Amino acid sequence: MAVDAEETGQKERVENNLLLDSHSDRQSGISSDGAEDGEDGAEEEEDEEDEPKLKYARLTSHLGGVYRNGDATSTFLVAGDKMIVGTHNGNIHVLILPTFHTLRVYQAHKASVTAISVSPFPPPLPSGKPDAVNKLASQSQHPSTKASSVASAGSPSSRSPRQQAFAATPSNSIHIATASIDGNVCVYSLIDPMDVMLRNFARPVQAVALSPEFKNDKAYLSGGLAGNLILTVGGRSGTSSTATTTGAAASASGWLGSIGLGSNTGKDTVLHSGEGAIKTIKWSLSGKYVVWINEQGFKIMRSSLHLDSADTESAWKRISHVDRPDGPGWEEMAGVWRGRAEWIDENHLESDKAFSISCNAFQETANVGSRPRGAQMNGPKGGKVRRVEKLVVGWGGTVWIINVHPGGAGAAKNVGERGLGRAEIVNILRTDCIISGLSLYTPSVLVILAYITPEESDEDQTSPYNARSQTTEGTPRRGRHHRSNALSPELRLIDISTSEEISTPDTLSVSRFEGLSATDYHLSVLPAHRGGNSGASQRGALEAFGGGLWDVTMNPTRLFSSGASVQSGDSNSGNSVGLKTSSRLSFSKAATSERNRSAPHPAIVGPNAKIYIHSPYDCILATVRDLSDHLSWLLERNKYKEAWEVVDQHPEVISSSHERLFDSSPSTPTKVQGSLSDFFADDSSQTTTSASKTLNSAVEKEKRRIGEHWVQQLVDEGDWASAGRVCGQVLGTSSRWEHWVWLFVQSDKFEEITPFIPTVELQPPLPSLVYEVVLGHYIAYDTVRLKELLERWPPELYNIRSITTALEDRLRAPDVREDTVQGGEKGRDWRILMEGLAKLYLADGRPREALRCFIALKNADAAMNLIRNYRILDAVSDDIPGLLLLRVSKEQMRIAPVSELEQATSEPIKLLVDDAYHGIVRPEVVVAQLEENHPLFLFFYLRALWTGFSPSEETKPNDRLAVEGKTLVEDFGDLAVELFAEYDRSLLMDFLKSSQSYSFEKAKAVCERRNFVTELVYILSKTGETKRALSLIIDKLQDVSQAISFAKSQDDPGLWDDLLDYSMNKPRFIRGLLEEVGTAINPITLVRRIPEGLEIEGLRAGLSRMIKEYEIQSSISEGVARVLRGEVAIGMDTLRTRQKKGVKFNLVHDIETTIPIDQPNGDLSVKIPTIENNNASEDRKPGYCAGCRKQFRVIEQETLVGFACGHVFHLTHLLKYENRDHDANEVQANATFDGDADLALSVGAKVAHARLIRSKTADGCPIVHEKEIL
């Protein structure tokens, strides 16, 4: 369940903390007097703040079967997906990673196991095929709990229980070799329990190394206290034999000896001897080289594998030797200290860059090198690239890093010689500890398991390493007295390039460490897995098969404990409740415990390299710290700011934390599933979307939780400003905002929290009272800040009526007036409060109240926009001058030109004019308020009404509005005359000519007063005082052209006489009359009126022009008359021609009704002359054919043709009448056309027929035409 998972995670964090004892604590614990120097204490305290680079997990609880019956581990090996542990009782435990399921348990020896080797090394990882995985997992669910024995012979009746066989997958097809102090080497096949070889060397064996190709060559190396490096080749499975190096014949023994399978076929060869006990033998990863360590140093030898045919004699020849250090204590301790050697596969190391980012993502890292992986690949220039193998050796307190170069054909002076290879010491490091294990973590970082020797008294001190008390076997033996003052081991990370430690060493808390020695500790590094992303935070259930090879090894339940499985419990409380209410729970506590034991440890399931540390009683895992570990470290030290930033920048850290909880404690399924198809058919399966939402929710919740701790920390420190800023950054719910805002308010810290209160509505929303309290505070104490808040905070956040009431009350205060000074500014508070009140009135839907505020503030733009948008000009209809003066100051009224005032009042004038058209604010209201004190503004108003637009605007006048406006101005005609005469004379004349509403007497008085002669002339002409008007033109204006025009316009002969009388004594006027009068008066009369002897300049030219103009006028008149007569004649001819034409019609009427031909006098009888054969004529009666003299029938089939004279003919008779002298057949054919259907269908015939009729009737009625001829 989720609670159990959380408790498990907390327990692991506690264990991790217990595993790490700071280096400073260790130093203070071993000091002789317990006193500390102040400066040292400060440095130690500072060191404690350094975040460790690695994290640790105790795996002891996962190895319960190993420590059963009081057994203790003596050695172990981690390779591929297997952990192989040897114990002091001689048992071998083969465990599957990462679940720690036991695959095999067998007793290979009767004493402590000293060395383990596997072949091939490293073994291949599982293939990841589902069938193989399921089969292997099912086989591992119930392994044999009783160890089978391969160390002693027995009868058939005493055989050990049969152990279950495994599938022969590549990851399981390995051989395990173990050595023991009982003198035996046991080689065991993991997949075939019967494939076992046991060989006795009669002396304790300290090291064994299987050939990488043991499956084919059956070879391995071994060595021990006898000091011999022995190569063993061959041997039969299921046999126990004695090494041939003892000189005794091998005998068959063992639990298979009774069936005759114990014959000895193996061969032992001593490759090296005589230099002391051999503690370590390691075969290189390529199989070409072997390194072993004895008391004199360590050697590197070329093996027999992968040799060319020309180099077969080079097999098992030594290529390098490194002597032991010549230092104090080495002489006597060389045989005690166990040398550690590791061949390094650099292609599977963590990269330096990845290590720096992972373990120091938020710290300054040490100067770690950045050599690229695979840099060891080199060779001769232009030749084949050969692989350089890297070897790391640790012995005592010294570390050697060696590159082993492959052999081959010689070069330069060694041409023709074959080289076996060479060893190059790259670096030598010296430490202040005894090395209990080492390896490379990255190409530039060395990891060392350091055994720290205790400081002893002078009489007991015999060497710098103080290790005399250690026994050869390492572990204290029963019955002996051993000192129990050892210290806890340390795990150190060393930068190879600088030989300095990257961080403070991590001291490990190991059970019963006081009695352990350096040889009791072991270290093994499992390289980083690059095949898949098994540590991904989001993955589906199917991805577990191929995405992570760790997950498919031995734990099929891993599939159903993933975060994507519907049957997995989540860590949230909602799913936990659902599990409690489920009626399908049928699992016991024992089953739950079994699942917890089968679940992989969260620290193991990951792609990074893993460091395993073994002591006789403990197993510890060290891995690089990730973001979640960094987050936990920050939270434990109350570094909430940094922790919040980590979650904010890397939200996936919460995902990884959740996955750890799922992995460490899988929840109980809600039902039992029969198959994978049942699983995928489950409709309740979670989707990626829901998982993503859950993750986002978890991230946000964690950020808020950490953020509130951060805020509380700042508040406790008294840093309210930072606390307020952080609140705006980390708080996300209304309830928490409300809590913190009230806390700030109670502490009178408005300024610190106000800028960060959210301005967007939360869900659920933050109570409006929070905003109202803050605004109320600033209304009373800081209006400048109030203005900022009202601009920034939407009105929806608070109760507008409450704030407007507070503002109104504040404006009524005696210290808030327009003339009070605040902050060196007159009326600042009053203006701010009034602006805020106007804004809130608008937000509350009260534009009229807001308009009054804007007018009081003289905020013309806001007032105009308000009036325009809400059409509320009537709200200020009682204060039109105030509206017009919004943009006009008192100084402008006094000295500003009219154009400036016009521009300032153009907008309100336009609004007033628009409302006048709509009848909202009538012109009478405006005129009444402006007539007395503001005539200029009234002029602007009336002019805009009259013209339809304001001259300050660039738009064209609106003719429709101008017509409406002129109608409105008509009611104020006399006032308009007065204002137009005062401010715009040109508009006055237009008004005088267009309007009829003004008084002529008043207008004449205005013009006389202002001496507007032109306007006065017009008025006098309208009143009939033409002679006075003409006199004004001649006397005042002295404009002969205007006088002549005026006389012409009046069309009064007496006025012309007056003009001539006025002009006869003025030569200039006489000349003007001669040139311009034209035909208006008789030229002779004009000439006769000119006084004799009067000298007139230009008289000849004037007379010539007058005569010429007269002649031209006469000629034009004659020409027009001729044109008119010609047009009349043409028109008469056209009329007569059209009157002569006949009209075709059909007779349609009722049966008993006749159609009379109306006569002007009502008489129906018409005298129609008839034509006899003798050409005599007689009257034709109406209703009768003028040709045949027969009465028209009711239904007339033949076409009738009538003429304006009243004669009507049948068409045939008309043609016959016209063609009496023609052939009768032709006439008959033409006459019968109208009734012939076939001919009627012919277009050509129709055209011909029409032309014939037109030609026959061209002269009109034949009877009338005949009479005219006669």
Side-chain angles (χ1 to χ4, degrees):
M1 298 175 67
V3 176
D4 297 335
E6 185 175 357
E7 292 177 355
T8 303
Q10 294 176 353
K11 181 178 179 182
E12 291 175 354
R13 287 193 294 270
V14 172
E15 289 182 355
N16 190 19
N17 295 335
L18 293 177
L19 286 172
L20 291 177
D21 296 332
S22 67
H23 186 57
S24 58
D25 292 340
R26 179 184 61 80
Q27 289 179 339
S28 61
I30 62 174
S31 60
S32 59
D33 54 0
E36 295 181 352
D37 182 72
E39 183 178 355
D40 295 339
E43 293 178 356
E44 291 172 1
E45 183 178 356
E46 183 178 355
D47 291 341
E48 290 179 0
E49 293 301 321
D50 292 339
E51 183 177 359
K53 303 299 182 295
L54 301 175
K55 60 181 178 180
Y56 299 86
R58 192 185 300 274
L59 306 179
T60 307
S61 60
H62 291 257
L63 305 177
V66 175
Y67 303 107
R68 186 177 290 113
N69 299 325
D71 203 355
T73 61
S74 58
T75 187
F76 87 108
L77 176 67
V78 175
D81 63 335
K82 307 293 190 300
M83 175 184 285
I84 305 169
V85 182
T87 69
H88 283 289
N89 288 341
N91 295 323
I92 305 299
H93 298 260
V94 182
L95 309 174
I96 189 74
L97 297 177
T99 60
F100 291 98
H101 282 296
T102 301
L103 296 182
R104 284 282 188 265
V105 179
Y106 60 94
Q107 186 176 11
H109 306 279
K110 296 180 179 179
S112 299
V113 179
T114 56
I116 300 175
S117 177
V118 297
S119 178
F121 183 87
L125 289 172
S127 63
K129 296 180 180 179
D131 294 340
V133 172
N134 293 336
K135 184 174 182 180
L136 184 61
S138 63
Q139 293 171 348
S140 64
Q141 294 300 314
H142 303 288
S144 177
T145 58
K146 183 176 180 181
S148 61
S149 176
V150 297
S152 61
S155 63
S157 62
S158 62
R159 292 178 182 176
S160 299
R162 177 180 178 84
Q163 296 203 15
Q164 193 170 3
F166 292 109
T169 60
S171 61
N172 292 333
S173 300
I174 62 174
H175 288 81
I176 304 171
T178 57
S180 172
I181 61 176
D182 64 359
N184 290 327
V185 172
C186 177
V187 181
Y188 185 90
S189 174
L190 182 61
I191 62 175
D192 185 5
M194 299 182 65
D195 185 5
V196 182
M197 291 188 296
L198 187 65
R199 199 171 191 84
N200 184 270
F201 291 90
R203 293 289 302 273
V205 182
Q206 295 290 329
V208 66
L210 285 178
S211 168
E213 299 182 2
F214 179 82
K215 184 177 181 180
N216 299 322
D217 58 18
K218 299 297 182 180
Y220 61 87
L221 297 170
S222 61
L225 297 183
N228 297 328
L229 178 64
I230 301 174
L231 170 64
T232 302
V233 180
R236 294 187 58 183
S237 299
T239 63
S240 176
S241 60
T242 301
T244 57
T245 57
T246 62
S251 59
S253 61
W255 60 281
L256 292 177
S258 60
I259 59 175
L261 299 178
S263 60
N264 179 25
T265 59
K267 178 182 179 181
D268 299 311
T269 304
V270 178
L271 301 179
H272 184 270
S273 64
E275 292 187 356
I278 297 175
K279 297 292 186 69
T280 301
I281 305 174
K282 291 286 184 176
W283 219 300
S284 70
L285 299 177
S286 65
K288 295 181 179 180
Y289 306 100
V290 174
V291 62
W292 76 95
I293 305 174
N294 55 29
E295 295 182 11
Q296 299 301 317
F298 61 90
K299 284 82 175 170
I300 301 175
M301 175 186 293
R302 182 64 170 91
S303 71
S304 60
L305 298 179
H306 310 299
L307 280 174
D308 296 337
S309 57
D311 297 331
T312 54
E313 297 181 356
S314 301
W316 306 115
K317 289 187 177 181
R318 190 171 62 187
I319 65 173
S320 180
H321 167 76
V322 178
D323 291 330
R324 70 186 184 194
D326 187 13
W330 274 97
E331 184 66 30
E332 57 181 7
M333 299 306 297
V336 176
W337 293 329
R338 177 185 289 268
R340 316 284 178 155
E342 291 290 337
W343 293 93
I344 305 300
D345 184 2
E346 291 192 280
N347 290 325
H348 289 82
L349 290 178
E350 288 275 6
S351 67
D352 292 321
K353 182 178 180 181
F355 174 74
S356 299
I357 294 176
S358 298
C359 67
N360 295 298
F362 305 94
Q363 298 178 355
E364 292 293 333
T365 59
N367 295 325
V368 180
S370 58
R371 286 200 304 265
R373 183 180 300 144
Q376 73 276 15
M377 303 295 292
N378 52 41
K381 184 176 181 180
K384 182 180 179 180
V385 176
R386 292 177 291 179
R387 187 173 185 271
V388 177
E389 299 194 65
K390 184 176 288 294
L391 173 66
V392 179
V393 178
W395 193 11
T398 306
V399 177
W400 293 267
I401 301 176
I402 302 171
N403 285 340
V404 179
H405 298 269
K413 63 180 182 179
N414 297 322
V415 173
E417 298 181 2
R418 302 287 297 181
L420 301 179
R422 62 184 180 87
E424 176 189 4
I425 298 178
V426 178
N427 205 342
I428 299 178
L429 306 177
R430 290 180 173 80
T431 65
D432 59 351
C433 63
I434 299 175
I435 298 173
S436 294
L438 82 167
S439 184
L440 281 183
Y441 195 79
T442 74
S444 299
V445 177
L446 179 69
V447 57
I448 292 178
L449 179 59
Y451 178 82
I452 308 301
T453 57
E455 297 180 1
E456 301 190 14
S457 59
D458 294 339
E459 61 270 15
D460 294 334
Q461 223 172 12
T462 59
S463 72
Y465 298 96
N466 303 308
R468 179 186 293 272
S469 62
Q470 302 178 49
T471 64
T472 302
E473 293 80 1
T475 303
R477 304 297 295 175
R478 298 181 178 89
R480 296 183 182 179
H481 176 69
H482 293 278
R483 309 178 64 174
S484 299
N485 60 347
L487 301 177
S488 297
E490 292 180 352
L491 192 64
R492 300 180 179 181
L493 297 175
I494 299 176
D495 182 8
I496 297 175
S497 60
T498 62
S499 301
E500 296 180 356
E501 295 181 3
I502 294 176
S503 63
T504 303
D506 298 330
T507 302
L508 308 179
S509 179
V510 180
S511 299
R512 299 180 240 178
F513 65 89
E514 298 86 352
L516 300 180
S517 63
T519 56
D520 292 321
Y521 296 103
H522 305 274
L523 179 142
S524 182
V525 176
L526 193 63
H529 170 55
R530 309 294 176 187
N533 187 16
S534 62
S537 59
Q538 296 291 337
R539 58 183 176 183
L542 285 179
E543 293 174 0
F545 281 117
L549 295 178
W550 286 112
D551 296 342
V552 298
T553 51
M554 279 305 300
N555 186 17
T557 60
R558 172 69 174 143
L559 170 64
F560 300 103
S561 63
S562 67
S565 174
V566 63
Q567 306 303 341
S568 303
D570 291 339
S571 61
N572 55 55
S573 59
N575 286 347
S576 299
V577 174
L579 291 175
K580 291 180 180 179
T581 58
S582 175
S583 61
R584 292 174 288 181
L585 290 176
S586 60
F587 294 93
S588 63
K589 294 182 179 179
T592 302
S593 176
E594 178 64 25
R595 281 193 305 274
N596 291 337
R597 288 195 301 267
S598 64
H601 195 282
I604 301 178
V605 181
N608 295 327
K610 300 163 185 65
I611 304 171
Y612 290 89
I613 300 131
H614 262 267
S615 74
Y617 313 108
D618 273 310
C619 178
I620 298 173
L621 172 66
T623 55
V624 67
R625 295 174 64 86
D626 55 16
L627 286 175
S628 61
D629 302 304
H630 179 67
L631 176 63
S632 301
W633 184 85
L634 292 174
L635 292 176
E636 291 169 0
R637 285 153 182 79
N638 299 332
K639 297 179 180 289
Y640 298 114
K641 176 180 181 297
E642 295 82 357
W644 189 90
E645 291 173 350
V646 168
V647 180
D648 182 57
Q649 298 173 10
H650 303 277
E652 67 274 7
V653 68
I654 302 302
S655 170
S656 61
S657 300
H658 281 200
E659 183 174 327
R660 287 184 178 186
L661 292 180
F662 291 146
D663 293 342
S664 61
S665 181
S667 302
T668 303
T670 58
K671 68 178 180 179
V672 178
Q673 291 184 334
S675 64
L676 282 176
S677 61
D678 296 336
F679 165 71
F680 290 111
D682 193 347
D683 294 335
S684 61
S685 298
Q686 296 176 347
T687 63
T688 305
T689 303
S690 62
S692 177
K693 291 181 179 178
T694 303
L695 171 61
N696 293 335
S697 176
V699 171
E700 294 302 322
K701 287 180 180 178
E702 185 65 12
K703 287 176 63 177
R704 291 195 293 268
R705 184 188 70 82
I706 298 173
E708 290 207 47
H709 284 296
W710 183 9
V711 174
Q712 186 63 54
Q713 186 180 58
L714 294 172
V715 169
D716 294 341
E717 295 173 356
D719 190 357
W720 291 91
S722 299
R725 184 180 66 256
V726 173
C727 282
Q729 191 176 1
V730 304
L731 299 182
T733 60
S734 57
S735 59
R736 303 314 301 162
W737 263 113
E738 184 179 5
H739 165 77
W740 286 105
V741 170
W742 290 132
L743 180 63
F744 276 76
V745 168
Q746 292 170 4
S747 302
D748 195 24
K749 302 295 181 182
F750 287 90
E751 279 297 324
E752 288 76 6
I753 191 62
T754 299
F756 308 102
I757 297 177
T759 59
V760 295
E761 290 191 11
L762 303 175
Q763 293 297 332
L766 190 62
S768 62
L769 182 60
V770 172
Y771 300 96
E772 294 164 15
V773 169
V774 175
L775 290 174
H777 169 79
Y778 288 109
I779 289 174
Y781 299 105
D782 190 348
T783 57
V784 177
R785 186 66 170 156
L786 172 68
K787 180 180 180 181
E788 297 176 3
L789 294 180
L790 290 178
E791 292 176 352
R792 190 164 60 90
W793 286 1
E796 295 80 10
L797 298 176
Y798 46 84
N799 189 325
I800 298 177
R801 292 298 176 97
S802 300
I803 304 302
T804 54
T805 301
L807 289 172
E808 292 168 352
D809 294 341
R810 181 61 178 155
L811 283 169
R812 286 191 289 267
D815 60 332
V816 180
R817 297 192 305 273
E818 294 184 60
D819 55 352
T820 56
V821 179
Q822 296 90 14
E825 185 178 351
K826 186 177 181 180
R828 185 196 66 183
D829 289 353
W830 175 85
R831 186 170 59 258
I832 291 175
L833 293 174
M834 190 67 74
E835 289 175 352
L837 188 60
K839 180 180 180 180
L840 294 182
Y841 278 148
L842 279 178
D844 197 28
R846 300 156 67 184
R848 295 177 179 271
E849 291 83 347
L851 180 59
R852 294 192 184 95
C853 293
F854 287 134
I855 292 178
L857 291 166
K858 286 189 174 298
N859 189 339
D861 293 335
M864 294 299 104
N865 291 334
L866 200 61
I867 293 172
R868 189 180 301 106
N869 295 334
Y870 291 92
R871 305 195 66 82
I872 54 173
L873 186 61
D874 59 315
V876 292
S877 60
D878 56 346
D879 188 17
I880 300 300
L883 177 64
L884 295 174
L885 292 172
L886 281 175
R887 287 193 174 94
V888 180
S889 64
K890 294 180 180 180
E891 186 69 16
Q892 285 179 308
M893 285 294 296
R894 189 172 58 86
I895 63 173
V898 174
S899 59
E900 183 178 341
L901 295 175
E902 180 182 358
Q903 182 67 31
T905 58
S906 61
E907 190 172 2
I909 289 293
K910 185 178 185 302
L911 291 175
L912 290 172
V913 171
D914 291 341
D915 277 14
Y917 295 144
H918 296 88
I920 298 176
V921 179
R922 297 296 301 171
E924 293 82 358
V925 177
V926 179
V927 171
Q929 297 185 39
L930 298 179
E931 184 177 6
E932 183 176 355
N933 298 320
H934 303 283
L936 179 60
F937 297 157
L938 182 57
F939 161 71
F940 294 154
Y941 176 70
L942 294 178
R943 182 186 61 183
L945 284 175
W946 182 261
T947 60
F949 76 108
S950 174
S952 62
E953 298 179 356
E954 297 180 358
T955 57
K956 295 182 179 180
N958 190 313
D959 295 337
R960 182 183 63 82
L961 296 180
V963 172
E964 294 182 10
K966 289 179 180 179
T967 304
L968 296 175
V969 177
E970 293 288 343
D971 297 336
F972 313 98
D974 295 336
L975 180 60
V977 170
E978 184 70 33
L979 293 175
F980 292 163
E982 176 70 23
Y983 299 107
D984 192 346
R985 184 178 177 182
S986 61
L987 190 60
L988 174 62
M989 179 58 76
D990 178 67
F991 180 76
L992 292 175
K993 292 180 179 180
S994 302
S995 177
Q996 300 294 331
S997 62
Y998 58 90
S999 171
F1000 288 111
E1001 294 299 329
K1002 291 183 179 180
K1004 184 171 64 174
V1006 170
C1007 293
E1008 288 177 348
R1009 185 171 65 251
R1010 298 181 181 277
N1011 197 25
F1012 290 168
V1013 178
T1014 304
E1015 291 80 1
L1016 184 58
V1017 169
Y1018 175 78
I1019 295 173
L1020 291 175
S1021 67
K1022 298 291 287 184
T1023 59
E1025 300 180 60
T1026 55
K1027 291 185 178 181
R1028 184 185 174 190
L1030 183 61
S1031 176
L1032 290 174
I1033 294 173
I1034 295 174
D1035 296 336
K1036 297 290 185 181
L1037 299 180
Q1038 297 183 356
D1039 188 347
V1040 63
S1041 298
Q1042 185 175 352
I1044 295 171
S1045 299
F1046 180 73
K1048 289 180 179 180
S1049 65
Q1050 297 299 319
D1051 194 20
D1052 185 2
L1055 196 61
W1056 280 108
D1057 294 337
D1058 294 337
L1059 177 59
L1060 293 177
D1061 293 339
Y1062 289 139
S1063 304
M1064 287 302 103
N1065 59 350
K1066 299 177 179 61
R1068 186 171 61 86
F1069 270 70
I1070 295 174
R1071 179 183 175 185
L1073 287 171
L1074 293 174
E1075 293 178 351
E1076 298 183 19
V1077 71
T1079 59
I1081 60 175
N1082 191 343
I1084 298 175
T1085 303
L1086 175 60
V1087 172
R1088 287 177 178 176
R1089 296 286 297 268
I1090 299 174
E1092 294 182 4
L1094 181 65
E1095 184 177 354
I1096 301 174
E1097 184 180 356
L1099 178 60
R1100 182 186 298 276
L1103 290 173
S1104 300
R1105 181 174 178 181
M1106 182 182 68
I1107 295 171
K1108 185 176 181 179
E1109 184 176 352
Y1110 191 83
E1111 291 177 352
I1112 292 173
Q1113 187 67 29
S1114 177
S1115 175
I1116 291 173
S1117 298
E1118 292 178 358
V1120 170
R1122 286 194 299 271
V1123 171
L1124 180 60
R1125 286 194 297 270
E1127 290 181 354
V1128 170
I1130 294 173
M1132 293 299 295
D1133 292 341
T1134 303
L1135 177 62
R1136 284 193 297 270
T1137 301
R1138 291 181 178 178
Q1139 286 178 345
K1140 290 180 179 181
K1141 289 184 178 181
V1143 180
K1144 176 183 177 181
F1145 62 92
N1146 294 322
L1147 186 64
V1148 179
H1149 54 79
D1150 295 336
I1151 297 176
E1152 296 181 357
T1153 304
T1154 61
I1155 303 177
I1157 300 177
D1158 295 336
Q1159 299 296 328
N1161 57 1
D1163 188 2
L1164 300 178
S1165 62
V1166 178
K1167 297 298 183 178
I1168 302 175
T1170 58
I1171 301 175
E1172 299 294 340
N1173 295 331
N1174 54 4
N1175 296 327
S1177 63
E1178 59 183 12
D1179 294 339
R1180 269 71 172 176
K1181 297 180 180 180
Y1184 289 83
C1185 176
C1188 66
R1189 296 185 180 88
K1190 293 182 180 180
Q1191 187 178 10
F1192 298 127
R1193 294 177 298 176
V1194 175
I1195 302 175
E1196 191 66 53
Q1197 299 295 329
E1198 192 173 355
T1199 301
L1200 304 181
V1201 179
F1203 295 93
C1205 60
H1207 297 121
V1208 181
F1209 293 87
H1210 290 102
L1211 179 60
T1212 56
H1213 296 159
L1214 177 63
L1215 298 176
K1216 183 178 180 181
Y1217 192 94
E1218 287 290 326
N1219 297 278
R1220 291 191 302 270
D1221 298 334
H1222 293 180
D1223 186 75
N1225 294 332
E1226 180 182 355
V1227 174
Q1228 183 65 26
N1230 293 332
T1232 58
F1233 169 79
D1234 198 43
D1236 195 335
D1238 295 335
L1239 292 177
L1241 296 175
S1242 174
V1243 177
K1246 287 182 178 181
V1247 173
H1249 185 64
R1251 292 183 62 185
L1252 177 62
I1253 294 174
R1254 185 180 297 110
S1255 64
K1256 298 303 181 183
T1257 61
D1259 296 329
C1261 178
I1263 296 175
V1264 176
H1265 181 65
E1266 190 176 59
K1267 287 182 178 183
E1268 290 177 351
I1269 295 174
L1270 294 176

